[in-house]
């Protein structure tokens, strides 16, 4: 397929890319969306990389590794507690809402996210494959008991397991840890079957999650990238839409409705 690229500054070309994306989607039975922090940017959630990103002021190895948690669980908890407090105040934006609508529209639709903020679920998406865990779950470091906890702020940091008394950790996948195998393999299977694979708001630099784009591309899916900037895997995209997801996904959706 010939790549359709709007380049970011040409409204006519952007319109062509939106039509190309809607055409690809309208004939598809199996659709997969793969999202990153950018899909929540318009809800007011900070992304990780780039100016103002979470990793700019906060070295990853001090807050998002198992070693950091062993060394200083309180520091790591304070970092995640701040994110929980912030996430409790934000709402899904039109990008989340469009993806939730697509789950109802397409015969087979899979949504895999690297985000931990729960905004896809808040918008109505179901069976979201959370590749990097979730902010609203905690897990015991000793007995592995997992529970949902939406209390903000948590009454005690670090929280303790009511079953065994050990400290609990956020149920987040940290650097150097293995992704939940059932979730990753469900996502890889869906990527291999997808006819259209929509990559939204991710820099696509963190593996194995970013590898889903490669799986879909090598299995022959039409890849659509929605992002104001090129991701590391933009060269795999057949259709590129440069701009904010909260504006562009609804525009694709509106074009789908009339095609
Ligand atoms: P990044 O911060 O690496 O990338 C965010 C992407 O969103 C960038 O490509 C931006 O250009 C794009 N973006 C910004 N605003 C946008 C908007 N309004 N609409 C669409 N796109 C927009 O975030 P991720 O790719 O999600 O892992 O990062 C991947 C993983 O690295 C995260 O899950 C996290 C992080 O370290 C863990 O914490 C394990």
């Amino acid at each position: 397929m010939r790549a359709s690229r709007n380049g970011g500054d040409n409204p006519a070309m952007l319109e062509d890319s939106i039509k190309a994306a809607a055409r690809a989607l309208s004939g598809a039975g199996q659709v997969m969306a793969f999202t990153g922090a950018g899909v929540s940017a318009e809800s007011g959630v900070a992304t990780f990389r780039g100016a103002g990103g979470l990793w700019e002021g906060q070295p990853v190895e001090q807050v998002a590794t198992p070693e950091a948690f062993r060394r200083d669980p309180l520091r790591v908890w304070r970092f995640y507690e701040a994110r929980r407090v912030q996430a409790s105040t934000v709402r899904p934006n039109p990008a989340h809402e469009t993806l939730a609508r697509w789950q109802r529209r397409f015969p087979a639709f899979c949504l895999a996210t690297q985000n931990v903020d729960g905004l896809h679920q808040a918008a109505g998406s179901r069976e979201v494959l959370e590749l990097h865990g979730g902010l609203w779950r905690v897990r015991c470091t000793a007995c592995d008991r997992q529970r949902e906890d939406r209390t903000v702020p948590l009454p005690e940091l670090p929280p303790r397991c009511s079953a065994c008394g050990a400290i609990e950790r956020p149920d987040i996948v940290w650097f150097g840890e293995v992704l939940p195998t059932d979730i990753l393999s469900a996502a890889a299977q869906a990527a291999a079957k997808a006819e259209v694979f929509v990559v939204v708001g991710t820099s696509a630099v963190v593996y194995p999650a970013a590898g889903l784009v490669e799986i879909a591309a090598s299995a022959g899916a039409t890849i659509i990238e929605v992002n104001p900037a090129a991701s590391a895997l933009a060269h795999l995209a057949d259709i590129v839409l440069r701009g904010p997801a909260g504006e562009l996904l609804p525009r694709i959706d509106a074009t789908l409705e009339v095609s």
Side-chain angles (χ1 to χ4, degrees):
M1 173 181 282
R2 197 172 55 84
S4 168
R5 292 167 190 279
N6 76 292
D9 49 7
N10 183 327
M13 283 175 73
L14 176 59
E15 197 51 47
D16 282 352
S17 297
I18 288 171
K19 284 188 186 141
R23 257 195 316 275
L25 281 164
S26 64
Q30 307 256 0
V31 175
M32 178 159 181
F34 170 56
T35 65
V39 80
S40 295
E42 289 152 86
S43 293
V45 181
T47 60
F48 293 95
R49 297 171 180 81
L54 272 175
W55 293 158
E56 198 185 43
Q58 193 74 247
V60 179
E61 60 284 1
Q62 287 174 15
V63 289
T65 62
E67 295 75 31
F69 190 74
R70 271 195 295 276
R71 209 169 39 236
D72 192 348
L74 191 57
R75 175 175 183 170
V76 173
W77 259 115
R78 285 199 182 116
F79 173 74
Y80 283 100
E81 183 64 351
R83 294 185 60 195
R84 293 172 83 257
V85 169
Q86 204 241 354
S88 71
T89 66
V90 298
R91 295 282 163 268
N93 68 57
H96 301 107
E97 285 157 9
T98 301
L99 293 173
R101 206 158 39 244
W102 286 358
Q103 187 161 45
R104 297 188 289 274
R105 176 183 180 113
F106 294 104
F109 183 86
C110 174
L111 173 58
T113 188
Q114 300 163 91
N115 298 347
V116 297
D117 55 30
L119 285 178
H120 283 304
Q121 293 88 334
S125 287
R126 288 166 289 106
E127 291 162 35
V128 180
L129 299 174
E130 290 187 310
L131 297 159
H132 291 164
L135 269 182
W136 306 113
R137 289 191 307 274
V138 297
R139 179 152 55 86
C140 178
T141 53
C143 72
D144 219 34
R145 199 181 71 127
Q146 218 189 68
R147 63 186 178 88
E148 187 177 295
D149 196 329
R150 291 185 170 265
T151 321
V152 172
L154 284 165
E156 180 194 17
L157 283 186
R160 289 196 171 268
C161 175
S162 61
C164 76
I167 63 171
E168 292 171 310
R169 55 167 282 175
D171 193 25
I172 302 274
V173 179
W174 286 325
F175 286 91
E177 293 187 317
V178 177
L179 273 62
T181 32
D182 50 340
I183 292 175
L184 182 60
S185 90
Q189 278 174 33
K193 283 196 290 196
E195 292 158 62
V196 178
F197 188 94
V198 192
V199 188
V200 188
T202 177
S203 57
V205 294
V206 173
Y207 282 78
L212 295 171
V213 187
E214 294 164 332
I215 292 172
S218 51
T222 297
I223 310 288
I224 302 174
E225 175 167 291
V226 181
N227 195 318
S231 79
L233 297 178
H235 58 280
L236 296 178
D238 300 291
I239 301 168
V240 173
L241 293 112
R242 292 271 163 261
E247 175 197 323
L248 294 179
L249 290 181
R251 283 179 68 184
I252 298 173
D253 192 46
T255 309
L256 261 178
E257 293 305 325
V258 294
S259 61

